[in-house]
Amino acid sequence: MPSIEFVSLAGAVLLLISIFSSKLANKVGIPSLLFFLLTGWLIGNFGGVMLDNIEIAKFIGDFALIFILFAGGYDSHWPNIQPVLWQGLCLSTFGVFITMLLLGSFAWFILGSFSSFSLGIHGITFAEGLLLAAIVSSTDAAAVFSVLRSSRLDLKGKLQPLLELESSSNDPMAVLLTTSLISYIGAGHASWLEGGLFLVMQLTIGVVIGYGAGRGMVWLLNHLGLSSAGLYAIASIALVLLTFSAATFFKGNGFLAVYVAGVVAGNHKVVHQNYIGAFHDSFAWLMQIIMFLTLGMLSVPHKAELSALASVAVAVSLFLMFVARPLSVFISLSWSKISIKEKLLISWVGLRGSVPIVLATFPLAFGIKEAGEIFVLVSCIVVMSVLIQGFSLAPVARWLGLADKK
């Protein structure tokens, strides 16, 4: 067993590397998650620290995701999102669902067992195609705005708050669809109607418990009368974990519940509100670093088939970027007065990030067929999205005339 000195040194070095990687990423214009993943991969492949326990990786990812989603909700300010509320909600719900249907159908077409070409891996069912699509259906707020900050750009009109609302609120929908599909696939005999009812039940219970927990969190924090601001932050951690546990216990979606609780708590007056918000922002960053280092070190089954999966990853990524995402945006916002140029930019601002890679561990932990290939595909899709859309986001915004210099 390694000594405490060695563990402390290794932890300090990894955290410092991750922090400096984040600074470098902001200068280059690439989301820092790519550097975190690369650091974990280098450690796993050349540092001799390879993680081969899927359950541990999923536990770390789940725990991190709880606080990442809560922090995203807590930081959503009502005055900013109110003017674009319905557009953002349409993108984060119907948009995610349409993306899943389109991309899932495409993935099933090129990878289905009926197809004349499987592109290097075994065929998948339609449900597994939808699962792959659900995992990568959400966009990443941190990835989008780290690129905008590094490019020193502000988006014109209501684009910035709209993208902030969509990218911070579509993660729960992706989690909900992923967990529902895993339950459907795992049940084997369940019908699509049963799967749909399970989805509605998880959504309803998650929202109800999340709203109640958020109001309860506000009341309790305002009446605790603690002697230190730090104790309020610790109390908020306990309440977030309690919210997740309660929603899961009552068969709701715990991730959706903590996000809703974060939105409610963040938009009500709470004692030491700024301190609690800064604490959860820092804690969410720590969770992201730990999560990506872990996932980078993860030894995934069939990882050796990466070269065979490369062509599939390219095809799925391009379809997502140029077909599924744009169609989902234009369909979801067909009723709004948003201009075609703005819709085109929203379509391109679809960077994938932390949540898809965490969700990709769910099929592994549940023993879903082809889970190893799905994990590798999702990792490749995220990397391609960050590289292609991340580098081109600022030029596209300028080309469409929707960018202002800071």
Side-chain angles (χ1 to χ4, degrees):
M1 184 175 180
S3 65
I4 185 64
E5 294 87 357
F6 177 79
V7 173
S8 300
L9 177 63
V13 171
L14 288 176
L15 288 175
L16 287 173
I17 290 175
S18 300
I19 290 170
F20 286 116
S21 296
S22 177
K23 184 176 181 180
L24 176 62
N26 286 332
K27 287 187 176 181
V28 176
I30 301 177
S32 52
L33 67 90
L34 193 59
F35 284 90
F36 297 160
L37 273 176
L38 178 61
T39 302
W41 181 81
L42 290 173
I43 294 170
N45 285 272
F46 301 104
V49 187
M50 183 72 76
L51 178 63
D52 56 4
N53 191 312
I54 302 298
E55 285 73 22
I56 291 178
K58 182 180 181 297
F59 176 83
I60 293 174
D62 286 353
F63 189 82
L65 194 55
I66 291 171
F67 291 98
I68 291 171
L69 290 175
F70 178 80
Y74 194 88
D75 199 39
S76 298
H77 302 299
W78 180 250
N80 296 333
I81 66 177
Q82 186 179 12
V84 293
L85 178 63
W86 293 112
Q87 295 95 322
L89 289 180
C90 282
L91 285 172
S92 62
T93 53
F94 295 114
V96 169
F97 188 76
I98 294 169
T99 299
M100 181 194 70
L101 289 179
L102 292 172
L103 187 63
S105 300
F106 178 77
W108 177 55
F109 176 76
I110 65 171
L111 298 174
S113 56
F114 74 92
S115 177
S116 59
F117 54 97
S118 61
L119 296 180
I121 68 173
H122 307 295
I124 61 174
T125 65
F126 182 61
E128 289 171 341
L130 290 178
L131 176 60
L132 169 63
I135 289 172
V136 296
S137 60
S138 68
T139 59
D140 186 84
V144 171
F145 289 100
S146 65
V147 171
L148 291 176
R149 282 194 302 269
S150 63
S151 304
R152 293 181 174 84
L153 288 178
D154 276 329
L155 298 180
K156 292 182 178 180
K158 298 177 181 178
L159 278 174
Q160 197 115 346
L162 175 57
L163 290 170
E164 181 179 356
L165 174 60
E166 184 219 357
S167 55
S168 60
S169 63
N170 61 12
D171 291 337
M173 184 65 176
V175 174
L176 188 63
L177 291 173
T178 300
T179 53
S180 299
L181 281 166
I182 287 176
S183 298
Y184 170 79
I185 294 171
H189 60 277
S191 66
W192 284 105
L193 177 60
E194 291 173 320
L197 291 175
F198 177 76
L199 176 65
V200 172
M201 181 184 72
Q202 284 228 311
L203 176 64
T204 304
I205 296 175
V207 170
V208 170
I209 291 182
Y211 180 80
R215 295 303 298 265
M217 189 180 300
V218 171
W219 184 89
L220 187 60
L221 290 175
N222 286 334
H223 290 82
L224 278 176
L226 300 174
S227 60
S228 170
L231 291 176
Y232 284 94
I234 295 173
S236 69
I237 289 180
L239 293 172
V240 170
L241 293 175
L242 184 61
T243 301
F244 178 83
S245 302
T248 305
F249 178 80
F250 287 105
K251 308 300 181 184
N253 189 276
F255 297 105
L256 177 61
V258 295
Y259 175 77
V260 173
V263 173
V264 173
N267 286 281
H268 284 81
K269 186 68 175 178
V270 179
V271 62
H272 300 298
Q273 188 164 23
N274 292 334
Y275 176 83
I276 293 174
F279 172 83
H280 277 282
D281 182 63
S282 300
F283 197 62
W285 268 107
L286 178 61
M287 291 294 100
Q288 285 197 66
I289 292 173
I290 294 174
M291 176 181 67
F292 278 116
L293 290 176
T294 301
L295 295 175
M297 292 185 287
L298 184 62
S299 176
V300 181
H302 309 292
K303 209 170 185 178
E305 296 183 7
L306 178 59
S307 59
L309 289 167
S311 55
V312 179
V314 171
V316 173
S317 298
L318 293 178
F319 185 87
L320 174 61
M321 285 186 276
F322 291 100
V323 181
R325 168 69 178 177
L327 281 176
S328 70
V329 169
F330 275 80
I331 293 173
S332 301
L333 299 178
S334 59
W335 57 274
S336 71
K337 297 181 180 179
I338 297 176
S339 69
I340 293 179
K341 283 188 176 182
E342 290 174 321
K343 290 177 182 176
L344 286 173
L345 183 60
I346 294 170
S347 301
W348 194 243
V349 184
L351 277 75
R352 271 52 199 174
S354 58
V355 174
I357 298 182
V358 175
L359 294 181
T361 64
F362 286 23
L364 287 168
F366 282 92
I368 300 296
K369 186 181 178 183
E370 313 296 356
E373 287 90 343
I374 288 176
F375 185 92
V376 175
L377 279 173
V378 169
S379 300
C380 293
I381 290 168
V382 170
V383 171
M384 282 192 64
S385 172
V386 169
L387 289 176
I388 296 176
Q389 293 174 296
F391 274 119
S392 60
L393 176 55
V396 169
R398 294 191 190 97
W399 176 66
L400 291 171
L402 298 173
D404 282 328
K405 277 284 185 182
K406 288 184 179 180

